[in-house]
Amino acid sequence: MSLLRGGKRCPRALACFPVVGILESTVIRPATHKGTRETMRLASALNRSVFFALLWVTLTGGSADALIYGGLAVAAATLLSLRLYPADQPGIVLWRVAGFLPRFLADAFMGGLDVARRALDPRLPIAPGWVRAQLTNRNEAAGVLLGGVVSILPGSLAAGPGDAEMDVHLLNVTRYSADGMQADERRVLGLFDRRIDSHNVANG
């Protein structure tokens, strides 16, 4: 059916109706609406400020002398974090981090024991080397976080994730497990507040 506007064929039939255009801009694509973006940015800034403030209080022991400097540090850290990682990107959910920590701490403890055992063994049973881990996702934030987790664990060091791959240096390459690496990646992806978009999936 032909719909006309001012005697001319409308190139987008539904857009000829003003109400549909309004719905399209506010409901169908809410992420592009200015008010939604500002609300998201404000909420993200508040959440990050609270996080940085709690971190500062923890580091300084709640010292009253450090409050002025803390306010400046929190404001600077919040602005920098919004600059480096905008509010419309997937974010980390703190309560999910709480669920992630027990497994991470257990892995770190066991990894530390393993490294100490190998270092004290007269035979020095190590086989250092690099492996290229294949990831399931290209999302940059998730890759950086996964690399940080891998690097903190004893006996491993990640070097720059990119294009669904990550180079990992291991104290003992014979114990590398691709399934274990993908399990760690799934746990890291589960920390984000929304599902990583499908266009970030490797080979997708």
Side-chain angles (χ1 to χ4, degrees):
M1 181 178 67
S2 299
L3 295 177
L4 304 179
R5 176 189 287 171
K8 297 181 180 180
R9 185 183 297 273
C10 179
R12 296 179 61 192
L14 290 178
C16 293
F17 297 96
V19 65
V20 175
I22 294 173
L23 288 174
E24 183 182 16
S25 64
T26 59
V27 178
I28 300 176
R29 294 182 295 182
T32 62
H33 191 263
K34 182 178 179 181
T36 302
R37 290 199 305 269
E38 291 301 322
T39 301
M40 183 183 300
R41 183 179 175 84
L42 180 61
S44 181
L46 180 60
N47 289 335
R48 298 183 195 198
S49 296
V50 171
F51 172 77
F52 290 131
L54 291 175
L55 180 61
W56 180 267
V57 170
T58 301
L59 292 175
T60 61
S63 174
D65 296 336
L67 291 180
I68 297 178
Y69 303 104
L72 296 175
V74 167
T78 301
L79 291 175
L80 182 60
S81 70
L82 289 171
R83 178 73 175 178
L84 296 176
Y85 197 71
D88 58 354
Q89 298 297 314
I92 300 298
V93 180
L94 291 181
W95 68 264
R96 294 182 182 177
V97 174
F100 174 84
L101 282 178
R103 175 62 182 269
F104 171 75
L105 294 176
D107 288 345
F109 178 75
M110 296 304 298
L113 289 180
D114 183 68
V115 170
R117 179 185 65 82
R118 294 176 187 276
L120 296 175
D121 192 324
R123 297 170 298 174
L124 202 62
I126 62 174
W130 290 90
V131 297
R132 176 154 293 179
Q134 301 298 320
L135 306 181
T136 62
N137 200 283
R138 290 194 179 96
N139 183 270
E140 183 177 358
V144 170
L145 181 57
L146 176 62
V149 169
V150 170
S151 297
I152 291 175
L153 292 174
S156 59
L157 177 67
D163 198 24
E165 292 181 338
M166 179 184 295
D167 290 329
V168 181
H169 186 273
L170 297 169
L171 189 65
N172 186 11
V173 295
T174 62
R175 299 197 57 170
Y176 172 73
S177 169
D179 292 339
M181 186 67 173
Q182 291 186 0
D184 288 339
E185 184 186 10
R186 286 193 298 270
R187 284 192 286 270
V188 167
L189 290 173
L191 297 177
F192 289 87
D193 56 1
R194 56 183 182 274
R195 184 178 62 84
I196 303 297
D197 294 335
S198 60
H199 70 270
N200 286 318
V201 175
N203 302 320

